[in-house]
Amino acid sequence: MTVEYVDAGEAIDQGNLSGKVPGGDVAPPVVRDVGYERILNARSEPQNWLTYYGAYNGQRYSPLDQINTENVNRIGPAWVFQAGTTGIIAGASTYSFEAAPIVVDGIMFLAGWDGWVWALDAKTGVEIWRYKHAVPFDVSLCCGNVNRGVAVAAGKVFVVTANAHVLALDATTGKRVWDRTYGDVRAGESATVAPLIVKDKVVVGSSGGEFGVRGHLDAFDLESGEHQWRCYMVPKPGEPGSDTWPSDGEAWARGGANCWITATFDQETNLLYVGTGNPAPDFDGAVREGDNLYTDSIVAVDADAGQIRWHYQCTPHDVWDYDSIGECILFESDGRKLLGHFDKNGYLFVVDRTNGELVQITPFVDRITWGAITRDGQVTAKVYPDEEGVPVHFYPGPAGAKEWTHAAYSPKTGLFYVPVQDVGATATRRRREFKESIPYWGAGVQVDIEDMTGSISAFDANGDERWRWRNELPMCASVLATGGDLVFAGEPTGEFNALDARTGELLWQFQCGSGHHSNPTTYMVDGRQYIAVPVGWGAWSEGFLPGMLGAGHGSALITFALPETS
Amino acid sequence: MTTAQERAGLLDELGLDAQNKAALGQVLGTGTIGQATERSDGRMEATVRIRPDEISWDPSILVMPHGGDLELELINDDLNTHCALLPSNGDRKFIWLVNHSRGKAHLNLDGPGYYWFSSPTGNDEGRGLTGAIVVLGDVPPEARLDRPNQPRP
């Protein structure tokens, strides 16, 4: 006798099994009226954190001052969001929580690793909706399953995925509005960048510089998702800059220069300022003789046309993996429109952002042995892997004196605050044939596991160091500066610190249970200021701190506030 | 050493073709392989089932010819309750599969690449109920790099 099957019905969204109450899975339409004008004036609504850096200028500064040097020792956890992990995911051993939480009128929009996006109540931490993109287990990831956050505008949340899609989600429901593929996973491309909204466009860059791809920046129409422009960061033969690549062969086609960190933007110049990644292969320069433009460069791109207007190359013919993806912080000094950039190569570059003219260069880390750059910009390489099979040790290591994690600038103090990694590495050149999708480094690399240090260092616009807060380990997380004269900085060992912005004195500390490798932000709801920090150690820790490879990952977002008064 | 042709025989000889013979469960990747079929509208369909006492998806590797929508029939012929957590753009899909039950899931997946699916109850995932969905194909032409064709492995 045949027994009929029990009808199991249809599979449902896993998110429906997360304790939501009816109607609780729809966010108020707080993003409906967010657009270019509001983002241009983002710091005039300090209760919100509307864009990746807090404002187009990349300063990671909030004027909020409810939490300040006088009372920061009384702040404590307000709520914790635990993302957790289930199932088998790409980069299961390398995922990391890197995002910058975006907050609009009491709603937080947050991206995690492996295609996660959440909308949370910013006052309580309760999840409103979630979006989960299916990320292929076998996607090429040089450095971990990570994502640096979302952008919001026009009622939508924009995010990229590890398999190089850019998505627009409905900000009230988390449902997908449009989805475009802008990278080739078979070529080793991926995406990790937080999108940037500029006018009617969403701007994103590509990852994959360790796989011999050709880096690019792309713009899509906010509403329709229609592709607007693509700007390649390695020129084709015959294009400007192509004479910095070998005239024979296809080194240019594998040249790297990926834009994997969010650009800054100046409305007056109409320029995007984006740092580009390393050339490929990272350490074998003999197969790509020349300066290799526009790798390791600060590149100014016309926001409407998507064309390069000027560039400044920080490490010509890089053979140390010194991406220049670090943020370009816009500031003014003595009436000049300037740009400050802390590079992986250990130098702070200050450039006139109207034309790319060098203003000054200053080292910001103690140990620099790879070479030297004079104050007028002359670069001399000293130690590099140029002989097959011969180990070469140099400072800083390939993760740089500062990794991608961001410095901050306080217009109130006039100081930059930079997370410093003082750690070296040994590279041994090992030439390999290029094959699409296979890592293309050209060396074996081992980062030092001993004799390392770190700091949060404060520099003024002249490049003079004003104070230094020293740490036993490199500092590997973005810094946040506030109008309360505070600098927040997380440690690899889990401590989250508040420093006095004027002196560097440690004023407060909280052990978060996992190392920091993210972008803390701050916001206010109902008159209460919160500091929000994603906590989840991981990513390319063998690059910036191999001594912490065995540390637990963590997957929490923790917010801090002063005690409620009632 | 072995060859691909000897694989089934060696799995049997070593006791790796069933649970609680060589290992405790069914070792991942030792199950069957199958292909989704494509309808005229481009949507795809397939069936995966759990056979009695095999603690393995059949097929445990399901191949889709390209990215897109998949209608998946799930059948539990086992004498125990399992479930399925499946990858899909938007959110992962979950379904309970009590003994002798049948259900459906609608999935949307990008190609190319592969994804894991599993029965996330007890240690079904470690015992063998972890399978893969492989999506063939290439990214759209507009997403490819502007460069000459490059050598591949």
Side-chain angles (χ1 to χ4, degrees):
Chain A
M1 187 181 80
T2 302
V3 178
E4 288 295 314
Y5 282 108
V6 173
D7 182 4
E10 174 149 358
I12 61 171
D13 287 350
Q14 188 190 27
N16 290 339
L17 306 172
S18 61
K20 289 186 174 55
V21 297
D25 57 354
V26 178
V30 292
V31 175
R32 184 180 55 202
D33 298 324
V34 175
Y36 179 53
E37 292 298 325
R38 275 183 71 182
I39 300 173
L40 265 179
N41 300 298
R43 294 292 52 154
S44 68
E45 44 183 302
Q47 73 277 16
N48 292 328
W49 191 278
L50 292 180
T51 185
Y52 180 65
Y53 295 111
Y56 279 133
N57 58 23
Q59 293 181 353
R60 290 190 49 74
Y61 170 81
S62 168
L64 291 179
D65 60 1
Q66 184 181 80
I67 299 171
N68 54 51
T69 54
E70 298 299 314
N71 61 22
V72 68
N73 61 350
R74 294 197 294 120
I75 67 172
W79 53 262
V80 179
F81 173 70
Q82 289 280 6
T85 59
T86 55
I88 305 176
I89 66 168
S93 301
T94 60
Y95 78 88
S96 174
F97 208 163
E98 297 190 346
I102 300 293
V103 179
V104 186
D105 297 338
I107 305 297
M108 177 180 290
F109 300 95
L110 180 68
W113 54 94
D114 205 51
W116 288 106
V117 185
W118 300 278
L120 308 176
D121 183 319
K123 187 174 179 179
T124 65
V126 171
E127 177 183 307
I128 299 170
W129 57 251
R130 68 171 72 168
Y131 176 88
K132 172 71 175 74
H133 203 77
V135 172
F137 183 71
D138 52 348
V139 69
S140 296
L141 301 170
C142 75
C143 311
N145 190 345
V146 301
N147 185 284
R148 298 190 189 85
V150 304
V152 296
K156 302 178 190 64
V157 176
F158 301 89
V159 68
V160 302
T161 68
N163 61 338
H165 286 232
V166 55
L167 312 177
L169 310 178
D170 185 311
T172 61
T173 63
K175 302 300 182 189
R176 193 166 43 167
V177 178
W178 54 257
D179 176 348
R180 298 289 180 272
T181 312
Y182 76 103
D184 183 357
V185 289
R186 287 207 183 277
E189 288 194 285
S190 58
T192 58
V193 70
L196 183 72
I197 306 298
V198 178
K199 304 179 185 177
D200 59 351
K201 300 178 180 65
V202 54
V203 178
V204 293
S206 62
S207 298
E210 270 58 52
F211 295 87
V213 299
R214 191 175 173 221
H216 50 88
L217 197 67
D218 292 75
F220 295 83
D221 182 84
L222 284 181
E223 294 295 342
S224 67
E226 185 180 345
H227 192 244
Q228 301 297 297
W229 50 254
R230 169 168 289 192
C231 178
Y232 280 106
M233 293 297 168
V234 176
K236 293 174 79 169
E239 293 179 348
S242 59
D243 57 346
T244 65
W245 293 88
S247 57
D248 58 336
E250 295 182 352
W252 65 272
R254 309 154 185 173
N258 290 80
C259 305
W260 50 277
I261 291 296
T262 307
T264 51
F265 173 71
D266 182 349
Q267 180 195 28
E268 292 182 18
T269 62
N270 198 39
L271 294 175
L272 294 159
Y273 302 97
V274 64
T276 59
N278 58 275
D282 303 53
F283 303 95
D284 186 358
V287 301
R288 48 173 176 79
E289 294 293 346
D291 282 353
N292 306 140
L293 290 175
Y294 299 96
T295 67
D296 289 1
S297 298
I298 299 163
V299 181
V301 177
D302 184 290
D304 296 323
Q307 294 176 345
I308 296 173
R309 296 300 186 219
W310 59 256
H311 73 278
Y312 185 91
Q313 190 173 38
C314 299
T315 312
H317 192 69
D318 170 22
V319 282
W320 306 270
D321 194 14
Y322 289 155
D323 306 63
S324 291
I325 39 66
E327 67 289 338
C328 299
I329 299 176
L330 313 187
F331 70 107
E332 281 72 42
S333 181
D334 297 330
R336 294 187 76 178
K337 292 168 73 70
L338 303 176
L339 173 163
H341 167 85
F342 292 90
D343 199 88
K344 281 173 77 174
N345 69 16
Y347 289 87
L348 162 62
F349 294 78
V350 177
V351 169
D352 184 322
R353 70 176 184 266
T354 64
N355 56 19
E357 178 186 318
L358 178 67
V359 175
Q360 62 151 335
I361 299 177
T362 309
F364 65 89
V365 66
D366 289 343
R367 294 182 288 190
I368 299 176
T369 64
W370 66 268
I373 308 180
T374 60
R375 285 201 168 254
D376 61 351
Q378 300 302 308
V379 180
T380 304
K382 294 179 178 174
V383 181
Y384 47 92
D386 64 340
E387 194 172 340
E388 189 75 3
V390 176
V392 174
H393 185 269
F394 54 88
Y395 288 98
K402 181 175 88 59
E403 210 215 359
W404 69 263
T405 51
H406 304 304
Y409 175 82
S410 168
K412 191 175 175 189
T413 64
L415 298 179
F416 292 97
Y417 306 99
V418 56
V420 177
Q421 308 176 141
D422 190 349
V423 57
T426 299
T428 306
R429 208 193 78 181
R430 302 286 184 188
R431 181 160 297 169
R432 66 150 299 139
E433 181 184 355
F434 174 78
K435 292 178 182 175
E436 205 167 39
S437 82
I438 292 182
Y440 190 44
W441 286 26
V445 181
Q446 190 157 8
V447 177
D448 296 352
I449 202 164
E450 295 177 332
D451 189 19
M452 66 188 73
T453 186
S455 66
I456 300 298
S457 300
F459 287 86
D460 64 22
N462 296 318
D464 294 327
E465 184 170 334
R466 301 284 288 273
W467 56 255
R468 181 184 299 198
W469 179 84
R470 297 176 187 275
N471 192 40
E472 292 179 354
L473 296 175
M475 294 296 282
C476 312
S478 295
V479 170
L480 169 69
T482 73
D485 279 344
L486 294 170
V487 172
F488 289 90
E491 297 184 37
T493 44
E495 295 85 355
F496 190 47
N497 302 327
L499 309 178
D500 186 314
R502 298 185 185 276
T503 66
E505 180 186 358
L506 177 65
L507 300 176
W508 170 85
Q509 186 175 73
F510 185 88
Q511 171 55 255
C512 294
S514 178
H516 293 257
H517 196 237
S518 73
N519 289 298
T521 64
T522 186
Y523 61 93
M524 182 174 272
V525 182
D526 293 342
R528 192 181 190 203
Q529 182 185 357
Y530 297 80
I531 310 291
V533 60
V535 182
W537 184 246
W540 192 42
S541 53
E542 68 269 36
F544 48 80
L545 216 178
M548 290 290 291
L549 263 175
H553 279 246
S555 58
L557 177 115
I558 306 177
T559 62
F560 298 91
L562 288 165
E564 288 187 283
T565 53
S566 57
Chain B
M1 297 296 289
T2 184
T3 67
Q5 288 72 25
E6 297 167 328
R7 186 174 188 272
L10 196 56
L11 287 172
D12 176 57
E13 180 185 328
L14 294 174
L16 289 171
D17 59 345
Q19 61 174 320
N20 210 13
K21 285 176 71 177
L24 299 178
Q26 171 94 29
V27 175
L28 304 189
T30 57
T32 56
I33 186 167
Q35 297 182 74
T37 56
E38 186 170 4
R39 298 173 182 162
S40 57
D41 63 359
R43 297 167 68 88
M44 292 157 278
E45 59 186 19
T47 298
V48 295
R49 62 201 316 148
I50 307 167
R51 298 189 185 279
D53 290 346
E54 289 193 1
I55 201 78
S56 179
W57 300 102
D58 181 16
S60 64
I61 300 175
L62 174 64
V63 180
M64 293 168 58
H66 55 76
D69 294 320
L70 173 71
E71 183 177 308
L72 191 64
E73 184 181 47
L74 298 131
I75 299 175
N76 180 12
D77 286 324
D78 196 18
L79 304 177
N80 286 305
T81 295
H82 303 289
C83 57
L85 182 64
L86 301 143
S88 186
N89 292 325
D91 199 358
R92 294 190 281 200
K93 301 293 183 182
F94 181 84
I95 186 170
W96 274 113
L97 295 167
V98 298
N99 316 19
H100 200 69
S101 65
R102 178 166 60 188
K104 282 191 180 303
H106 289 86
L107 311 182
N108 177 264
L109 295 170
D110 302 328
Y114 85 92
Y115 308 82
W116 293 104
F117 67 100
S118 67
S119 169
T121 180
N123 188 26
D124 274 9
E125 290 161 311
R127 295 281 298 183
L129 280 174
T130 299
I133 300 175
V134 180
V135 184
L136 306 180
D138 284 297
V139 299
E142 67 272 16
R144 300 195 63 180
L145 292 168
D146 181 10
R147 65 178 181 181
N149 287 333
Q150 298 294 302
R152 285 186 177 174

